[in-house]
Amino acid sequence: MSIGTDQITTLTFFRYSNIKQKLWAFWMMQFAHGPLSRTEGLQFYKLLGSGKVGFNPLPDWSVYGLLQVWENEEKADSFFETSNLMERYRRKSSEQWTLYMGNISAKGKWSGSNPFIESNELNKHNPYISVITRATIKLRWLIKFWKYVPTSQRPLTNNKGLVFTRGIGEVPFTQMATFSIWQDKESLMDFAYHSDAHRKAIEKTRQLNWYREEMFCRFQPYKSIGTWNRKDPLPELKTYLK
């Protein structure tokens, strides 16, 4: 089953292989705003860089992301199929992967607002869940925060319920997010509440109040287009499409 008339969210990752491609991708972090702001049906978007593997704060210049919140799936399809901007991204990058997601819940704010509306068309038979945890870190806590990140993220290593994860963000070091996909809600909850390291990280966050703004979003991924590392990370989603 697919999402139809409800608001949906898409997240696209682009991989760039050579210096020329990487320079173009960096340049587009500024110059893609114009065409995106004029895109019909696009309610919210963020151009995203990424960090090195292991939630390293140093930028990975080979991977960029585009988060988009759409009025409905039809508007998203139109953009990906007919947009000149998207065609340029496809030509300039060596690999692309887009994930369509229905919005389950969102708490907090992103750039001063909450753009995500809960979907009424989620598929109860689809167990997969994706998560974006995003925050703007207070400058006085930057060093302490990044020193603690490896400890808090260690339980993700070889986690059987984790399908995919990537560190993303708008501004290196200060405006960061994690995107993850889980096999089911139980796997996510087990990590969130039964991992000592993750639980202690939450406690430390509350104690130190090191975020100026934060948001926690859950989605139901339902359509996967393209490849990442030369394969579809979620081929099982085809089972749940109409």
Side-chain angles (χ1 to χ4, degrees):
M1 179 179 179
S2 63
I3 306 295
T5 58
D6 269 15
Q7 181 197 75
I8 68 158
T9 298
T10 60
L11 178 57
T12 304
F13 287 102
F14 304 96
R15 191 188 306 280
Y16 301 91
S17 300
N18 56 52
I19 294 296
K20 188 175 181 180
Q21 287 182 343
K22 293 174 184 178
L23 287 173
W24 182 87
F26 182 76
W27 182 77
M28 290 302 288
M29 289 291 284
Q30 176 63 36
F31 292 99
H33 288 292
L36 286 170
S37 67
R38 297 188 293 271
T39 299
E40 183 180 357
L42 183 58
Q43 299 176 329
F44 179 87
Y45 73 88
K46 287 294 178 182
L47 292 158
L48 303 166
S50 74
K52 292 183 179 294
V53 175
F55 296 97
N56 188 315
L58 295 177
D60 181 350
W61 304 110
S62 66
V63 176
Y64 287 80
L66 174 58
L67 176 73
Q68 296 167 285
V69 180
W70 298 95
E71 182 181 322
N72 54 49
E73 184 178 20
E74 182 181 2
K75 300 297 186 182
D77 287 342
S78 177
F79 172 79
F80 289 111
E81 293 169 7
T82 66
S83 164
N84 290 331
L85 177 66
M86 195 62 201
E87 177 57 28
R88 292 177 68 195
Y89 268 102
R90 276 192 284 265
R91 284 191 287 106
K92 296 292 186 178
S93 58
S94 56
E95 191 171 28
Q96 315 88 33
W97 176 45
T98 298
L99 193 63
Y100 282 58
M101 302 178 289
N103 308 329
I104 298 175
S105 65
K107 296 180 180 179
K109 292 184 178 181
W110 195 326
S111 296
S113 66
N114 181 348
F116 304 103
I117 300 172
E118 182 176 340
S119 174
N120 294 313
E121 300 181 357
L122 299 174
N123 186 341
K124 64 180 181 180
H125 301 294
N126 180 351
Y128 289 93
I129 187 167
S130 52
V131 177
I132 294 178
T133 303
R134 183 265 176 191
T136 298
I137 307 160
K138 294 178 180 177
L139 293 179
R140 67 176 179 273
W141 293 117
L142 275 181
I143 295 176
K144 185 179 285 290
F145 173 84
W146 284 110
K147 281 184 176 180
Y148 194 74
V149 165
T151 300
S152 65
Q153 299 300 320
R154 194 172 297 128
L156 287 173
T157 305
N158 300 320
N159 189 306
K160 293 181 180 179
L162 183 65
V163 177
F164 177 89
T165 187
R166 187 87 201 187
I168 52 179
E170 299 145 84
V171 180
F173 300 103
T174 60
Q175 293 184 344
M176 303 300 296
T178 59
F179 174 70
S180 57
I181 305 172
W182 301 81
Q183 289 181 347
D184 47 42
K185 183 178 178 180
E186 290 71 26
S187 299
L188 171 63
M189 300 302 282
D190 185 60
F191 166 72
Y193 296 106
H194 298 142
S195 162
D196 288 340
H198 188 262
R199 190 169 61 250
K200 288 178 181 177
I202 294 174
E203 292 173 358
K204 191 172 278 291
T205 297
R206 291 170 179 166
Q207 291 170 2
L208 298 179
N209 189 30
W210 51 25
Y211 298 146
R212 184 162 55 84
E213 183 183 62
E214 60 182 314
M215 175 164 259
F216 180 74
C217 315
R218 293 184 184 183
F219 307 90
Q220 181 181 83
Y222 69 92
K223 186 162 66 173
S224 176
I225 299 174
T227 66
W228 201 247
N229 294 323
R230 304 305 172 190
K231 65 179 182 180
D232 183 350
L234 281 174
E236 299 85 357
L237 290 185
K238 294 180 176 65
T239 305
Y240 306 104
L241 291 174
K242 288 181 181 178

